[in-house]
Amino acid sequence: MKQFIQVEDVPDKDVESLVQEAIKLKKQPFQFDDLGKHKTLGLIFFNQSLRTRLSTQRAAQNLGMDVISMNMNSESWQLEFQDGTVMDGNTQEHVREAAAVISQYCDIIGIRTFASLTDRGKDYREDVLSKFMQFAKVPIVNLESAIRHPLQSLADLITIEEHKKIKRPKVVLSWAPHPRALPQAVANSFVEWVKNSDAELVVTHPEGYELADEFVQDVSVVTCQQEAFEGADFIYAKNWSAYQDYGKILLKDNNWTITEEKMNLTNQARFMHCLPVRRNMIVSDAVIDHENSLVLEQARNRIFAAQVVLKKILEWKN
Ligand code: CP
């Protein structure tokens, strides 16, 4: 694997094999602890993180890698991304130098850079991530970009594979309310990855929250949450802001909160969320604390999602 930006980077787009390899790694996490010896992973964060930062660090350590990390906005120079700019304003270093310099210290670079939610064109072109990809000299791993969160989606598929009771489960991605405007990245990626697995995918959201066509093409979308939940094996809750009316919050009321009453419509579905989660906004306490909740398993599987990706990239580099 040369890089990990989206599902297309999985060799032959064989997501099933990658999931199986991650499950094997989970059983013997230190089996390849020499593979990353004398190699360094750099973790570059333009935004906050708990799970991504710690699980990716743990994954790298399981492979024998060293890890260095930096919060760009508070610890480094303000970066310029435009070419040809006279840098007489607030930006102090151009991404051309910054990405190339980080590549002198690291063998793989992970980058987290969220959507602006103010400029859809810029976000959906992945302006920041693509500049790093252009000017870095080493492979890049997407730690959540403007429109995708592939390490989360891979962890989610590992979790579904471990807990499914039938070969082709019904997986429902449900929009749920949140007080702040959130990116579409987790939802986009989840759709993109589940489409490449053996599952029946249904997306449900209120009108106005349609995801971009490039993601939901050929996916069953319903605007009645109760109808979508019927017979579901997995309920994946997530908030996102509007794509059409870009970055806007159109609805905040709790009619779309995931409750026990709604979970009772399902086939004893397992509840999933990528975390962090706003309790009693996205999901009721009773649902997230129920034995059918998989949120901690998902968080644990972030290690093995990252580990299998780093292993594949290290193998390609060797
Ligand atoms: N799910 C996830 O990416 O968590 P963090 O934002 O805490 O990394």
Side-chain angles (χ1 to χ4, degrees):
M1 195 185 290
K2 293 180 193 165
Q3 59 176 14
F4 187 71
I5 306 300
Q6 56 182 321
V7 75
E8 269 72 23
D9 294 311
V10 176
D12 304 321
K13 262 177 106 175
D14 187 355
V15 167
E16 304 264 342
S17 294
L18 195 67
V19 166
Q20 290 305 331
E21 193 171 340
I23 291 172
K24 260 197 207 162
L25 272 179
K26 189 174 179 178
K27 290 183 183 135
Q28 285 189 288
F30 307 116
Q31 193 187 353
F32 300 96
D33 62 359
D34 244 14
L35 188 64
K37 197 173 171 188
H38 303 312
K39 304 268 193 244
T40 298
L41 172 68
L43 297 177
I44 304 298
F45 286 90
F46 287 92
N47 310 93
Q48 295 107 314
S49 169
L50 188 161
R51 280 142 291 272
T52 304
R53 183 161 178 164
L54 298 184
S55 64
T56 310
Q57 180 157 347
R58 175 72 191 268
Q61 288 166 346
N62 285 354
L63 293 167
M65 296 185 85
D66 289 320
V67 182
I68 51 181
S69 49
M70 178 168 264
N71 293 314
M72 288 302 276
N73 291 337
S74 58
E75 295 173 335
S76 186
W77 305 109
Q78 195 72 25
L79 294 190
E80 176 61 54
F81 288 89
Q82 295 299 322
D83 279 333
T85 306
V86 177
M87 288 172 56
D88 59 356
N90 291 332
T91 57
Q92 295 143 319
E93 177 158 25
H94 202 280
V95 66
R96 284 177 176 266
E97 284 79 53
V101 167
I102 296 168
S103 307
Q104 310 302 309
Y105 312 137
C106 304
D107 300 279
I108 301 173
I109 302 173
I111 297 181
R112 166 164 283 201
T113 169
F114 287 175
S116 67
L117 294 182
T118 54
D119 184 339
R120 190 171 81 181
K122 179 171 169 278
D123 290 344
Y124 274 70
R125 280 194 308 271
E126 295 276 29
D127 270 10
V128 174
L129 181 68
S130 61
K131 292 281 182 191
F132 266 90
M133 289 165 65
Q134 189 179 350
F135 301 120
K137 315 279 184 202
V138 297
I140 298 282
V141 173
N142 183 348
L143 303 178
E144 186 172 344
S145 61
I147 62 167
R148 289 186 171 88
H149 195 357
L151 284 176
Q152 181 64 53
S153 308
L154 177 54
D156 297 335
L157 284 194
I158 295 166
T159 311
I160 289 172
E161 181 64 25
E162 289 176 325
H163 292 276
K164 71 182 188 185
K165 291 191 189 126
I166 54 172
K167 187 171 179 321
R168 193 163 191 275
K170 178 176 176 182
V171 177
V172 177
L173 169 64
S174 177
W175 183 93
H178 194 282
R180 306 271 295 273
L182 297 187
Q184 294 107 32
V186 171
N188 287 343
S189 256
F190 186 73
V191 168
E192 193 167 58
W193 283 72
V194 174
K195 275 195 325 196
N196 281 282
S197 75
D198 196 8
E200 176 197 348
L201 175 63
V202 176
V203 178
T204 183
H205 57 70
E207 279 178 24
Y209 279 99
E210 292 75 18
L211 293 165
D213 277 350
E214 64 182 286
F215 293 99
V216 287
Q217 229 170 25
D218 307 324
V219 172
S220 165
V221 179
V222 292
T223 51
C224 174
Q225 194 184 33
Q226 278 81 356
E227 181 191 323
F229 275 38
E230 280 168 20
D233 299 296
F234 293 89
I235 299 294
Y236 194 103
K238 185 71 187 88
N239 172 270
W240 60 88
S241 58
Y243 171 77
Q244 290 299 341
D245 198 357
Y246 192 62
K248 296 286 184 305
I249 298 174
L250 310 177
L251 190 72
K252 267 193 203 172
D253 75 57
N254 63 5
N255 282 338
W256 279 75
T257 300
I258 315 295
T259 60
E260 272 186 303
E261 196 183 24
K262 290 178 195 169
M263 291 300 283
N264 286 338
L265 299 169
T266 70
N267 183 25
Q268 295 184 306
R270 311 306 298 268
F271 174 78
M272 300 179 74
H273 188 279
C274 62
L275 305 182
V277 71
R278 301 256 183 164
R279 281 174 174 252
N280 303 309
M281 281 291 301
I282 296 269
V283 57
S284 70
D285 286 336
V287 172
I288 194 168
D289 293 332
H290 192 276
E291 62 182 10
N292 280 347
S293 170
L294 292 175
V295 295
L296 292 184
E297 282 86 343
Q298 288 172 263
R300 176 157 180 73
N301 282 334
R302 290 294 306 272
I303 300 172
F304 308 104
Q307 194 169 334
V308 77
V309 165
L310 293 173
K311 174 177 175 282
K312 289 276 185 205
I313 294 175
L314 288 169
E315 286 168 346
W316 173 78
K317 273 176 77 87
N318 286 344

